[in-house]
Amino acid sequence: MSNETCGARKPGWENGPAIGRHRIPCVRLKGHQDAHRDALGQEWAATTESPAVVTARAALAKADPLDFTDTHAMAAAVGSLREALRMVLEGAES
């Protein structure tokens, strides 16, 4: 059995401040089946989402509030990004 730790971080840690307790990784052994737990004893649900889906969710969360109504080309690009990310997420969740 490996003594390597899981290292997962709480969902959304990429969007938070550069420091903080949300960035503390899971200290349980790699491959654990129960909830993740950080060094401070806080727990969160284990997810089976791939890193690509986690990244897509973070990108979509950043793109949704953007408003480029003054620039049609930028609005089209952001719209395409939003649609592509939604399709990735829909495919991953079905």
Side-chain angles (χ1 to χ4, degrees):
M1 179 177 209
S2 172
N3 288 333
E4 206 173 328
T5 59
C6 171
R9 296 174 197 264
K10 294 177 187 166
W13 70 271
E14 306 91 342
N15 301 324
I19 60 172
R21 32 178 34 172
H22 62 283
R23 289 185 171 256
I24 300 173
C26 176
V27 296
R28 293 188 189 253
L29 292 178
K30 193 174 232 175
H32 66 86
Q33 299 299 314
D34 46 355
H36 294 293
R37 180 183 294 156
D38 66 19
L40 300 175
Q42 293 184 336
E43 292 187 347
W44 66 98
T47 62
T48 58
E49 289 185 336
S50 71
V53 170
V54 172
T55 301
R57 283 190 193 286
L60 185 58
K62 288 181 180 181
D64 270 339
L66 297 177
D67 182 15
F68 292 102
T69 55
D70 295 335
T71 308
H72 295 296
M74 187 61 81
V78 171
S80 295
L81 170 65
R82 287 177 177 153
E83 186 58 29
L85 290 171
R86 282 189 183 98
M87 288 190 302
V88 167
L89 292 173
E90 286 171 6
E93 292 173 345
S94 56

